[in-house]
Amino acid sequence: LAKTTQPISMDSYEGQEVNITCSHNNIATNDYITWYQQFPSQGPRFIIQGYKTKVTNEVASLFIPADRKSSTLSLPRVSLSDTAVYYCLVGGANNLFFGTGTRLTVIP
Amino acid sequence: DADVTQTPRNRITKTGKRIMLECSQTKGHDRMYWYRQDPGLGLRLIYYSFDVKDINKGEISDGYSVSRQAQAKFSLSLESAIPNQTALYFCATSDPGGGQSSYNEQFFGPGTRLTVL
């Protein structure tokens, strides 16, 4: 079961780009890298997923180096509403491990 | 996600009582999951089901049981509740390989806040 390591917390000012890096040294060949966002007292919400290189959607970008042992979630120009916990997960649909995530606080 | 509902939303019970948490989904997904979340911690998987005939234990299944009554319904039971089962419980669904969602995309319900006194 591939586990991940990510910073416990981060602070950022509004309007800045935020990069959250996650390490997953034991990632398996078939594992995908997935990021979720969770607001207080709500269920997590899927943000983005990738296997290698770069993936971009309307919310975020995900950068994955060639060795796939880490990944970086990039949130462009964060706003106060982006204050949440962000989870990095690796694995397949039946063995996702959420961990404690990174608590991002956006400061006005 | 409004397509995944959980009942009750809040429940207070006493030690030793049996309690059932229910989850229903209208997404048509085969896979369903139960997680618990303790304050300040991440989610831990209790049980998961890939279809009505398939039930699997997760990371922390002791003290819990589940029932998959239909594709759309997945219930979690605490046979004899204890205070350290006080937590926020989430149900989720997924459809890996489905055309409209990503492989690891799970859709979560609003959660049930359970307090065991």
Side-chain angles (χ1 to χ4, degrees), chain B:
Chain B
D1 192 307
D3 297 325
V4 183
T5 57
Q6 294 183 233
T7 56
R9 295 293 312 278
N10 290 282
R11 180 71 182 268
I12 300 174
T13 191
K14 294 183 179 180
T15 297
K17 295 291 188 181
R18 183 179 188 275
I19 184 168
M20 178 181 289
L21 308 183
E22 299 187 349
C23 176
S24 295
Q25 53 114 347
T26 59
K27 301 189 75 67
H29 290 171
D30 285 330
R31 298 187 176 194
M32 298 187 73
Y33 310 79
W34 274 106
Y35 293 90
R36 70 174 276 177
Q37 185 170 36
D38 296 282
L41 299 180
L43 281 73
R44 292 185 290 171
L45 182 63
I46 306 173
Y47 272 96
Y48 61 100
S49 169
F50 285 173
D51 64 42
V52 293
K53 298 180 181 179
D54 177 81
I55 301 291
N56 303 281
K57 292 182 177 181
E59 184 185 358
I60 53 162
S61 58
D62 288 347
Y64 302 94
S65 63
V66 291
S67 173
R68 185 79 184 269
Q69 302 93 322
Q71 184 201 41
K73 296 184 181 296
F74 192 35
S75 300
L76 176 72
S77 293
L78 287 69
E79 296 301 326
S80 180
I82 56 177
N84 75 1
Q85 291 178 312
T86 293
L88 188 54
Y89 290 84
F90 289 104
C91 172
T93 74
S94 73
D95 181 25
Q100 296 183 357
S101 64
S102 297
Y103 184 69
N104 281 346
E105 185 172 6
Q106 294 186 12
F107 298 84
F108 284 79
T112 294
R113 187 170 299 279
L114 176 66
T115 302
V116 183
L117 301 176

Side-chain angles (χ1 to χ4, degrees), chain A residues 6-29:
Chain A
Q6 52 185 122
I8 294 174
S9 64
M10 294 180 68
D11 294 337
S12 176
Y13 287 102
E14 259 190 307
Q16 289 189 330
E17 178 185 73
V18 171
N19 295 309
I20 306 175
T21 297
C22 177
S23 65
H24 27 80
N25 292 317
N26 296 324
I27 189 169
T29 302

Side-chain angles (χ1 to χ4, degrees), chain A residues 34-37 45-49 57 59-60 73 75 85-87:
Chain A
T34 311
W35 286 80
Y36 281 79
Q37 174 192 57
R45 184 174 68 100
F46 174 92
I47 301 175
I48 197 167
Q49 176 178 282
N57 62 21
V59 177
L73 175 73
L75 304 172
V85 177
Y86 292 82
Y87 297 97

